[in-house]
Amino acid sequence: KTFLEIFKHIIFETKILIFSTKINDLSYFIYGLICLLFPFHYSFQISSSIPRNAYSVIESISPYILGINKLFKKTFFKENKIDISDLNILIIDLDGCYIKYFGKKTLPDIPKSLGKPLYDGLNSIHKIKPDLWSEEEKDNNYKIIRILFYEFFIKIMLNYDLYMKQDYFRNK
């Protein structure tokens, strides 16, 4: 469920900051998320680790997925003089295993009828810990995961007009 929440924020182009003291975890996590967008392309800023002197990019107006190679503390923004009061931003703490959304804009939920097959498929794969997967199972499960997301996008895109405000387009 948490993973689908993160994925929803990517789809809706929320600014995303990912903290971890393990630089490899940041890279794998970020680029793994981006791979799941196939057949689409994430066209905004991506960095697996931004240096301290570039933290001002956090206040950017465009969406991004940025990694910060350090332990997340609630005082991070204050200590680095970063104003997030007007930003919609998702914080992912890989070391602490939690996410926190800061912002005024709430995002709609993924329609249950479209999200259920993805959620159920991911749940069935997640029942067995990846550490216990053989190499063949890893390859197969990664392909299944990518197919699940691909099918999810097909369902969304084939039915997208059902979720649009029709009056808006009639009046233009």
Side-chain angles (χ1 to χ4, degrees):
K1 190 124 180 143
T2 301
F3 187 77
L4 291 181
E5 184 68 20
I6 294 168
F7 195 68
K8 177 178 76 172
H9 283 276
I10 292 172
I11 293 171
F12 285 104
E13 299 177 351
T14 301
K15 294 169 179 57
I16 299 174
L17 280 180
I18 304 169
F19 288 83
S20 179
T21 54
K22 301 172 190 126
I23 189 80
N24 286 344
D25 288 358
L26 284 169
S27 297
Y28 292 139
F29 189 82
I30 291 170
Y31 292 105
L33 288 174
I34 299 306
C35 286
L36 295 176
L37 290 174
F38 177 82
F40 301 106
H41 175 71
Y42 189 79
S43 60
F44 301 105
Q45 299 174 45
I46 301 170
S47 176
S48 58
S49 182
I50 57 172
R52 182 178 172 88
N53 61 353
Y55 285 168
S56 60
V57 75
I58 293 170
E59 296 177 280
S60 170
I61 59 171
S62 67
Y64 53 72
I65 300 175
L66 302 174
I68 297 181
N69 186 216
K70 63 187 311 180
L71 190 66
F72 176 70
K73 296 188 297 186
K74 292 179 181 177
T75 57
F76 170 81
F77 299 105
K78 191 174 188 177
E79 288 172 5
N80 291 288
K81 298 178 178 80
I82 300 168
D83 180 14
I84 63 164
S85 60
D86 291 331
L87 299 178
N88 294 307
I89 191 167
L90 181 70
I91 304 297
I92 301 171
D93 180 356
L94 293 181
D95 297 341
C97 295
Y98 77 90
I99 65 171
K100 175 88 171 139
Y101 178 69
F102 295 94
K104 298 173 184 168
K105 185 169 87 173
T106 57
L107 298 178
D109 289 329
I110 294 171
K112 285 189 169 81
S113 62
L114 299 177
K116 186 168 177 20
L118 176 61
Y119 179 76
D120 290 346
L122 291 174
N123 241 3
S124 68
I125 290 172
H126 190 262
K127 286 180 183 175
I128 302 168
K129 292 186 178 187
D131 306 358
L132 304 176
W133 293 348
S134 68
E135 285 303 313
E136 186 177 328
E137 286 174 317
K138 281 181 187 177
D139 289 341
N140 192 40
N141 286 339
Y142 293 146
K143 287 175 188 170
I144 291 170
I145 290 169
R146 193 158 189 187
I147 289 168
L148 286 169
F149 278 93
Y150 184 72
E151 289 173 347
F152 171 73
F153 280 124
I154 289 172
K155 287 177 186 170
I156 285 180
M157 298 315 289
L158 289 178
N159 298 313
Y160 76 94
D161 57 331
L162 297 174
Y163 304 99
M164 297 182 76
K165 295 180 182 178
Q166 298 299 324
D167 294 345
Y168 176 81
F169 291 102
R170 268 188 241 135
N171 296 331
K172 291 289 177 192

